[in-house]
Amino acid sequence: FIAALLPHLLELSLSKHGSNVAEMVLLCLDCAQLERVQAEVFETTDCKALTALVSSRFGNYVLQVLLRQLNAGQRELALHLIAEHTAGLSSSQRNFGHFVLAAAS
């Protein structure tokens, strides 16, 4: 069941009810699946997934759950990337990155 939802995680993260499903999926992932999601969000050059999550009033909660699932080293790197990315967003873009950073501290 989790494997079937995993390819749709970003899409689910951006809607009110889907974000609840995405959060539950993140809590059920094994290590390999979690690493795949982490790479999709934080290790792509275009930052498309990170931008979508930080710019979404629902996706930012999914991002917070993802951060809680990471080990300390991964979390620190991810928070650094979020801070950099949040600072780089224009003021006209929705930006919930500061909520994510505040919740992590």
Side-chain angles (χ1 to χ4, degrees):
F1 180 72
I2 298 298
L5 290 174
L6 204 51
H8 307 285
L9 196 63
L10 182 58
E11 180 184 343
L12 287 168
S13 299
L14 304 180
S15 70
K16 182 176 182 174
H17 300 294
S19 65
N20 294 324
V21 174
E23 290 176 31
M24 290 294 114
V25 168
L26 286 173
L27 295 174
C28 297
L29 297 180
D30 63 32
C31 290
Q33 292 168 323
L34 184 60
E35 286 179 19
R36 199 165 62 219
V37 171
Q38 176 195 2
E40 182 182 328
V41 173
F42 298 112
E43 296 175 11
T44 60
T45 56
D46 64 0
C47 297
K48 189 172 156 182
L50 184 56
T51 300
L53 292 171
V54 174
S55 302
S56 168
R57 65 182 176 163
F58 305 115
N60 81 89
Y61 293 106
V62 176
L63 187 55
Q64 291 175 45
V65 171
L66 175 58
L67 288 171
R68 287 194 296 268
Q69 296 301 102
L70 302 177
N71 68 43
Q74 293 169 322
R75 189 180 309 92
E76 285 302 314
L77 178 59
L79 288 170
H80 178 73
L81 291 170
I82 292 167
E84 279 184 356
H85 191 68
T86 299
L89 292 175
S90 72
S91 59
S92 64
Q93 290 177 296
R94 291 166 104 190
N95 185 347
F96 295 93
H98 59 282
F99 292 125
V100 175
L101 295 171
S105 53

